[in-house]
């Protein structure tokens, strides 16, 4: 459902406002937020999720103003992480969030809103930057960086509150507000750990089951057939890795392809393959891309892929699997795994010809293989990948199987 089914679960959890994160808007494109917003019983706020001075994307609001009683209004502004220009893939050039916040806070003030709260998915460092630039903000409720501030943090007179990650705890902020002026007289923040003994909420469990039921028919759709089982192996060449690399290379019209084995959680069975089989095997939201790179960069990427520390590292985006060894298509590599770092790759052929260090090749990959810290391939500033969005890796494999 590209995130839309989550709305019912969040409704059951009792949310009243949400800012936009990246689990829907980056892998599926910000256009997918409209599907989420249609089902949500609360507004999605992100005043900077727009193309420069244009309107915010469909399904999103800039801010909300709610009554505190006695004629007092609370203004809540939403801001989301700009991701260093990644949204340009979707045709959006996000304006500076400080400039947006300054303008929208002034707008909320015109409606009589005070105090002012920012729901932020910027991360702690940018929350601090925002507080220093706009001390007229009363409270920033932050996320994105997975930070935990047990008693909050004061920055330029602004209270910043973060409550950690993965619902292990709840954040609580208490504000004492002058009913006439809206001035915050006192404030405090705390993080409340959720006990291990806490029973799951029946209403939320029912909403999860309803979302699961919605997807079952779609998951039963047959997308192709395999003559034999394709296993997964995170530390060696494997069948599903070869399939994905071949599919990426064909999809992007590239000479070769490179994909991290950590993007696969299981193999694929022999015989008919359903969308559910494929989803279990490739639970990845990475988008397919292609970049013109030199042969020496491909060789360095392969060498980095043989590094044991990187192969065994885990990343939250891979949801529990190690990064693993690179899976390849269009390439043949002779290597010595026990050799010294930097000299493990001995020879490389691309489409049957020796790899030339200074020659430029079209290399298919996903955003995972060029990610900082966990990616194999290091691009130079002028090397701009061309991504196909909002397609994800699982869809690339499904389309390839249906050919």
């Amino acid at each position: 459902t590209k995130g839309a089914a989550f709305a019912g679960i969040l409704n059951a959890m009792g949310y009243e406002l949400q800012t936009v994160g990246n689990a829907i808007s980056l892998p599926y494109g910000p256009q997918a937020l409209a599907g989420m917003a249609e089902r949500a019983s609360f507004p999605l706020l992100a005043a900077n999720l727009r193309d420069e001075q244009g309107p915010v994307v469909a399904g999103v609001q800039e801010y909300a103003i709610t009554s505190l009683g006695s004629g007092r209004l609370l203004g809540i502004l939403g801001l989301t992480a700009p991701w260093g220009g990644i949204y340009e893939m979707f045709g959006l050039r996000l304006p500076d969030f400080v400039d947006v916040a300054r303008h929208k806070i002034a707008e909320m003030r015109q409606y009589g809103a005070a105090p002012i709260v920012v729901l932020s998915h910027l991360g702690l460092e940018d929350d601090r930057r925002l507080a220093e630039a706009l001390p007229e903000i009363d409270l920033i409720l932050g996320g994105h960086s997975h930070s935990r501030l047990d008693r909050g943090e004061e920055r330029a007179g602004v209270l910043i509150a973060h409550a950690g990650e993965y619902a292990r705890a709840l954040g609580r902020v208490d504000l004492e507000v002058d009913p006439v002026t809206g001035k915050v007289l006192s404030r405090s923040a705390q993080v409340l750990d959720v006990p291990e003994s806490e029973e799951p909420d029946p209403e939320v469990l029912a909403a999860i089951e309803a979302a699961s039921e919605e997807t079952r028919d779609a998951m039963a759709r047959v997308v192709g057939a395999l003559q034999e089982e394709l296993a997964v192996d995170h530390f060696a060449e494997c069948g599903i890795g070869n399939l994905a690399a071949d599919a990426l290379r064909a999809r992007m019209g590239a000479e070769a392809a490179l994909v991290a084995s950590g993007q696969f959680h299981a193999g694929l069975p022999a015989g008919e393959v359903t969308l559910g089989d494929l989803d279990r095997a490739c639970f990845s939201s990475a988008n397919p891309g292609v970049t013109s790179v030199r042969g020496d960069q491909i060789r360095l990427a392969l060498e980095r892929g043989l590094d044991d520390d990187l192969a065994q590292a885990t990343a939250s985006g891979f949801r529990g699997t190690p990064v693993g060894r690179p899976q390849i298509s269009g390439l043949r590599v002779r290597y010595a795994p026990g050799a010294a770092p930097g000299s493990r790759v001995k020879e490389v052929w691309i489409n049957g010809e020796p790899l030339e260090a200074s020659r430029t090749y079209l290399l298919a990959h996903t955003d995972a293989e060029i990610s900082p810290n966990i990616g194999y391939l290091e691009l130079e500033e002028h090397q701009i990948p061309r991504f196909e969005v909002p397609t994800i890796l699982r869809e690339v494999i499904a389309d390839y199987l249906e050919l």
Side-chain angles (χ1 to χ4, degrees), residues 279-363:
D279 187 66
R280 285 184 289 274
C282 184
F283 197 65
S284 168
S285 59
N287 306 114
V290 64
T291 310
S292 293
V293 296
R294 295 186 310 278
D296 62 332
Q297 291 175 284
I298 295 176
R299 189 183 187 99
L300 284 171
L302 295 168
E303 179 70 38
R304 182 166 162 77
L306 293 169
D307 181 86
D308 285 337
D309 289 340
L310 176 62
Q312 294 169 14
T314 57
S316 60
F318 285 3
R319 297 174 171 85
T321 60
V323 173
R325 302 281 189 228
Q327 306 294 310
I328 56 177
S329 176
L331 295 164
R332 187 161 61 92
V333 183
R334 186 173 70 84
Y335 66 98
S343 61
R344 288 170 288 218
V345 174
K346 301 301 183 183
E347 292 181 274
V348 183
W349 296 265
I350 183 164
N351 296 317
E353 299 292 332
L355 185 74
E356 299 178 36
S358 60
R359 181 180 161 186
T360 298
Y361 300 92
L362 272 180
L363 181 69

Side-chain angles (χ1 to χ4, degrees), residues 5 20 48 122 126 141 162 173 177 180 187 227 234 302 321-322:
V20 172
N48 63 326
L122 297 171
D126 279 342
L141 296 175
H162 282 240
V173 174
V177 179
V180 176
R187 57 197 176 183
Q227 292 182 338
H234 294 123
L302 295 168
T321 60

Side-chain angles (χ1 to χ4, degrees), residues 138-292:
D138 295 292
L139 169 66
I140 298 174
L141 296 175
H144 184 50
S145 56
H146 298 224
S147 306
R148 175 171 170 146
L149 303 173
D150 285 333
R151 295 293 172 185
E153 174 184 300
E154 291 274 350
R155 180 63 63 117
V158 179
L159 177 62
I160 302 173
H162 282 240
E165 59 185 9
Y166 306 131
R168 295 189 180 105
L170 303 176
R172 172 171 174 151
V173 174
D174 290 279
L175 303 178
E176 182 186 1
V177 179
D178 186 303
V180 176
T181 65
K183 179 182 172 70
V184 175
L185 303 175
S186 67
R187 57 197 176 183
S188 63
Q190 59 181 311
V191 177
L192 308 170
D193 288 306
V194 178
E196 290 292 333
S197 60
E198 186 74 21
E199 291 293 327
D201 183 272
E203 187 176 345
V204 175
L205 290 179
I208 292 171
E209 177 56 30
S212 300
E213 179 66 29
E214 177 184 346
T215 65
R216 284 186 186 124
D217 288 345
M219 290 297 200
R221 179 173 67 86
V222 175
V223 296
L226 296 173
Q227 292 182 338
E228 59 185 59
E229 178 186 359
L230 297 181
V232 63
D233 188 332
H234 294 123
F235 303 107
E237 181 180 5
C238 63
I240 190 170
N242 283 335
L243 173 67
D246 287 347
L248 267 175
R249 181 162 68 108
R251 178 75 167 228
M252 305 311 294
E255 296 166 87
L258 185 75
V259 62
S261 57
Q263 298 202 65
F264 311 109
H265 286 236
L268 289 172
E272 288 188 340
V273 176
T274 66
L275 182 60
D277 293 328
L278 193 52
D279 187 66
R280 285 184 289 274
C282 184
F283 197 65
S284 168
S285 59
N287 306 114
V290 64
T291 310
S292 293

